[in-house]
Structures are given as C-alpha cells and as structure tokens.
Amino acid sequence: MSMFVSAMTTAAVMMGITLGFVTYAIYAERKVLGWMQLRIGPNRVGPWGLLQTVADVLKLLLKEDIVPHKADRTMFLLAPIVAFVPSFTVIAALPFSEHLLLADITIGLLYVLAVSSISTLGIVLGGWASNNKYALLGGMRAAAQMISYEVPLLLSVVPVVMLAGSLRLGDIVQEQAGGFWHWYIVPQFFAFGVFLIASVAELNRTPFDLPEAESELVAGYHVEYSGFRFAFFMLAEYMYVFAMAAMTTVLFLGGWHAPHPALDVVPGVVWFVLKFVGVVFFLFWIRATLPRLRVDQLMGFAWTVLLPIALLDIVVTAIVQSIIR
Amino acid sequence: MALSGDFIAFVVLASAIVFGVLTFLGSGVIVHRVVALALSFLGMAGLFVLLGAELIAGIQVLVYAGAVSIVIVFALMLTPSHTHKPRTPTWRALAALVGCGAFGGIIWAVLLERTTNGTPTDALEFAVRDVGVLLFGRYALALEIVSVLLTVALIGAIVIGQKQKGGAQ
C-alpha cells in the first residue's frame, strides 16, 4: 500500500513539473515567435507577461463545455482522454539523470514509442466524433501523417539500439559517457536528422502541422472542442514536446552526461535540462522559420527521403559494427 | 487465490478485455467497435506485463493497439456511412456459444495441465537480448520464412482486392 501511495505522489509531482513546463513552454514559444517576427510577444499579464499562460488556462477552464448536438457523445468525451493519457504515461520512462528516473523499464525505448502511438487514436477519434467535415479531414490527415512518420522514427532509433546494445534508456545514456564525441549524434548524425524531422512530424508542429492547419481546416481535429477538453488536446501536444525533446536528448545528445569529462562537477540534471531546453528552442525556431508543407510533399518526403536514409543507416551501422568487432 | 495486487490487476485487465470484446461484437457503430478492439488489445498488453513478458507487451501495443487508428480510417472509408446493427440469426448465436464453450474447455484443460507441471516464473528471467539472439540465431530461418509468408499474404490481399474491384465494375 505504501508503495502505491509513493507511486501516486511521484506521479503527482511529475504532473506538477510537466504542467509547469507546459505553462512556460507556451509562454516561451510565444515570446520566441514574437522576437523572431519583430514583435514583443505577451507582456501584459504579470511581470514580462509571465502569467499570460496561467490567465489563458483559467479562461479555458471557465469556458462552457460544449458537446455538439450531432456529435457522437461518448467518443467525443473520450477522445481528449485517449489523446492525453499516453502523453503523460510516456514521461514515466524518461531518465533525467542517473538517479532521477521514475520507472526503469527494460524495454524503455520500445515502451515510449509504443505508448505514444496510441495518441493518434485520440486525435482520429476526436476528429470523427465531432461530426464536422474540417475535424474529420484533420483527423484523417493526422492518421496518415503520424502513421507515415512513425516508420522512419522507429527505424532511426534502431542504429542507436545497435550501438548501445540495449533498449533500456538508462543504458543508452550510459553508453554515451565521456565527452561529446561519444554522443550518438556524432556517429549517427543521419539517424539524428531523421529522428528530429520525424519527431516534429509526429508532434504535428509546423512545418508538419497539416492536421490542424488553421488557414485550411479552421483548426482541424479539435475545431468542435472548447474549454477543458480543448485544453486536454493542447496539453497532450505540449506533453509530447516535453517527451520528444527528452527522447532526443537521451538518444542522441548524451542524456545527463557533460560535454567534457572535466565538467562532470556540474550535476547531470543540469546538463540534461540544458540540452533539453536547446532541443525545445530548436522546435520553436523552425516553427518561426519554415512554412507549412503541402499534403503531397509531406507523404513523399516520409517515404522517399527519410525512410531510405534510415534504412541505409541501419545497414551501414551493421556493416561498420561487424568490421570493428 | 489471495487478493494480491497481481490478482486485482488481472481481474481489471481481464474484465477490460471481455468488455472490449463484447462491445466489439455488440455495438452497431463501427468506430465504437474499433475503439473497443483497442481496449481489449491494451488489456492484453497489460496481461503480458503481468506475466513478465514486457517485450511482447510493447510489441502488442505498438503493432496492434497503435495501428487501431488505421483500422478506424479503413472502417470509415470502406463501410457505408449509415449505422446499422447486423441481425444475427439465433442458430448462429447458438453455434457461437457452443464454439466459445469448446474453446473455454480446451483452455481450461491446458491451464490445468500447465499449473501442475510447468513453473510460470520461467518467463521472468527471459531478457530482450535472449529473444534477439534466439530470433536471429537459431530461429533466423523460421523468421525469414514468416516474413516471406507475410509479404505473400500482403500481396495476395492486394491482388484479391483489385479483382473484386474489377468484378464490381
């Protein structure tokens, strides 16, 4: 029983941390986008606009919870939960430092990728249950896109698993110890590129934000959602930003390891957070820089560019590994 | 059996599977059916975790539960838009009942056999690495044959699908 209580407490603490992250990731995103577009960004609520997201969330919570008359009520209510729960479940397996890790799963990498694939169901379901053509189109696009990009995403982590010899995320980080030249971004730069692009596509973020392209689909799959349920979809999206940035850090950027052994005095969590923030900033940066792709470009890119690179990377890694051994 | 955490988890997961399957069979809306299918797949993954087969659980989620969204897309594109509940004749329901009974009996017999002879804890010490070594070492040929079989089945499905399309025209 005490184990159950402590598990619930850790989960609650983690929920607090991730909610804090989501709150300030949205603020940071708006600020960064503002600066890149020569605007100031939010600056009214609280000092430097720091409470802007808090105000936005409060507004969302106070809004009327609308279920459209013609919607499929059960599925409409279920969809945001199906989208959100996996996004939070994924976070349990992420190792933030040598000791700061909630669940040490032997198949950690597989777990993260498998569980995160369930969220697609929530998005498709939400789009269908809304009984709205824009929502359905957005849901269909989400299904097509997330399934196409899951293939290169999965294949791009295979070379990392081959090098590390383990699916446990902690072991993968441990293998990258001893300076930045041991990080997998160096030997596996192409895998890193494929992973980064595919993860942006999995996150449905610009330039891959076709499922919620506001200028063509109004808002895509969540157009009929309001208030708290809309907040759930948004929360799931930013939770995945958290999870994907952490995964990039763990798989390719050496996790909690310092760039040089001499810098090991700084605690691992600090390094993890620094790299993590770097990846998150990169996501904001490309959002401000790149325009949205067209549907035909999107699918072609996944199957004819990313997939061959990922496959080739696996073969080359296997050959090099068998030569070295 | 004592009221341990494992037992409670088993009951919850098993009832999720049964509920999912019953909804899958009974619901008239095809999307509801697919979601129920996802529920039972996830329940099965949970059972695999309880048995210590984490790798199989992960693959179960990735391959089956994760792909349910594709099933929804196909279900929406390939079925008529109006919702209808197929009426089952009584004799078919009876036959299904008999079939389920026979299957349950066989499983029951197998379980009785296993619990007296085998030790269920064997699976716990089975690491992912061992699975990989066995799969690509001793059973590499079987694995390749299965992959060829799957490819053949895939191509066959496409061919059959195209034939039916041509026949309709």
Side-chain angles (χ1 to χ4, degrees):
Chain A
M1 207 59 197
S2 67
M3 223 177 96
F4 181 72
V5 171
S6 76
M8 289 312 272
T9 324
T10 9
V13 170
M14 208 56 224
M15 189 80 192
I17 293 174
T18 42
L19 283 181
F21 163 79
V22 170
T23 310
Y24 284 98
I26 295 174
Y27 170 77
E29 175 158 24
R30 294 177 63 181
K31 270 290 187 195
V32 169
L33 282 181
W35 287 329
M36 286 186 184
Q37 295 162 356
L38 300 180
R39 296 183 286 116
I40 295 169
N43 69 340
R44 290 286 152 181
V45 190
W48 307 290
L50 275 172
L51 297 175
Q52 180 65 51
T53 319
V54 180
D56 287 345
V57 170
L58 281 178
K59 187 199 77 173
L60 273 181
L61 295 185
L62 292 173
K63 273 193 170 183
E64 189 187 350
D65 181 26
I66 301 169
V67 180
H69 181 61
K70 295 264 183 172
D72 186 314
R73 197 180 161 81
T74 329
M75 293 297 136
F76 189 82
L77 302 184
L78 193 66
I81 303 170
V82 175
F84 171 72
V85 170
S87 74
F88 185 57
T89 321
V90 157
I91 286 166
L94 300 172
F96 300 104
S97 86
E98 228 159 327
H99 311 291
L100 193 64
L101 153 109
L102 301 182
D104 193 16
I105 310 173
T106 41
I107 52 151
L109 180 58
L110 190 65
Y111 166 84
V112 170
L113 295 172
V115 171
S116 63
S117 70
I118 299 175
S119 275
T120 322
L121 179 62
I123 291 177
V124 178
L125 209 57
W128 175 79
S130 303
N131 213 349
N132 171 313
K133 56 178 176 287
Y134 296 118
L136 184 62
L137 279 175
M140 287 295 197
R141 281 188 181 186
Q145 173 176 334
M146 292 172 95
I147 275 124
S148 302
Y149 278 87
E150 207 171 276
V151 178
L153 187 81
L154 280 171
L155 289 177
S156 70
V157 299
V158 171
V160 170
V161 176
M162 288 161 78
L163 288 184
S166 174
L167 282 170
R168 193 195 294 262
L169 292 171
D171 292 350
I172 292 177
V173 176
Q174 213 53 268
E175 288 288 317
Q176 301 177 63
F180 69 87
W181 52 92
H182 288 292
W183 297 356
Y184 287 148
I185 186 176
V186 177
Q188 292 297 344
F189 186 75
F190 288 100
F192 172 73
V194 172
F195 182 84
L196 204 59
I197 296 170
S199 66
V200 175
E202 285 284 301
L203 291 169
N204 289 336
R205 289 180 62 86
T206 324
F208 300 103
D209 62 340
L210 289 97
E212 46 191 281
E214 62 272 17
S215 48
E216 343 172 351
L217 293 179
V218 193
Y221 62 89
H222 53 53
V223 66
E224 294 286 1
Y225 282 90
S226 68
F228 193 57
R229 297 180 199 287
F230 174 76
F232 256 66
F233 274 122
M234 276 328 215
L235 199 58
E237 209 159 287
Y238 278 90
M239 284 285 196
Y240 275 122
V241 171
F242 183 95
M244 277 300 181
M247 282 297 280
T248 315
T249 310
V250 164
L251 293 176
F252 293 100
L253 300 177
W256 60 78
H257 291 302
H260 193 277
L263 290 168
D264 274 342
V265 281
V266 183
V269 187
V270 175
W271 289 117
F272 186 93
V273 170
L274 279 178
K275 294 170 193 174
F276 170 81
V277 168
V279 177
V280 173
F281 175 77
F282 179 78
L283 292 176
F284 297 161
W285 186 11
I286 56 170
R287 176 170 174 189
T289 315
L290 295 172
R292 185 183 305 134
L293 286 158
R294 287 199 319 262
V295 180
D296 55 323
Q297 294 170 329
L298 178 89
M299 289 301 158
F301 187 66
W303 294 107
T304 59
V305 180
L306 292 183
L307 189 65
I309 294 178
L311 282 175
L312 207 65
D313 200 338
I314 294 174
V315 174
V316 170
T317 309
I319 292 172
V320 170
Q321 242 186 343
S322 59
I323 290 172
I324 289 176
R325 270 181 195 170
Chain B
M1 203 183 277
L3 199 68
S4 63
D6 272 9
F7 182 67
I8 297 171
F10 173 77
V11 170
V12 170
L13 290 169
S15 30
I17 295 175
V18 171
F19 175 74
V21 170
L22 288 182
T23 318
F24 175 72
L25 292 176
S27 175
V29 188
I30 195 148
V31 174
H32 290 194
R33 292 177 155 209
V34 180
V35 173
L37 196 65
L39 179 70
S40 55
F41 281 153
L42 287 178
M44 254 182 271
L47 284 189
F48 284 133
V49 171
L50 275 189
L51 292 170
E54 288 167 348
L55 181 68
I56 301 180
I59 291 170
Q60 167 83 15
V61 173
L62 189 69
V63 175
Y64 290 94
V68 156
S69 358
I70 314 183
V71 179
I72 286 194
V73 172
F74 280 133
L76 290 180
M77 290 194 301
L78 303 179
T79 56
S81 56
H82 60 270
T83 53
H84 65 98
K85 195 176 173 176
R87 218 177 285 159
T88 354
T90 326
W91 66 268
R92 213 184 265 182
L94 276 175
L97 212 63
V98 171
C100 286
F103 180 72
I106 293 169
I107 292 292
W108 185 253
V110 169
L111 280 181
L112 277 183
E113 189 79 8
R114 264 193 68 82
T115 40
T116 46
N117 295 340
T119 44
T121 46
D122 286 352
L124 287 174
E125 289 152 23
F126 215 62
V128 181
R129 187 183 294 273
D130 300 335
V131 176
V133 168
L134 276 179
L135 208 57
F136 290 97
R138 196 167 150 198
Y139 298 110
L141 186 66
L143 181 80
E144 289 305 316
I145 291 173
V146 170
S147 347
V148 171
L149 194 67
L150 280 176
T151 317
V152 169
L154 197 68
I155 296 170
I158 295 171
V159 170
I160 291 172
Q162 273 183 337
K163 251 185 201 159
Q164 276 175 353
K165 203 176 161 190
Q169 283 165 358

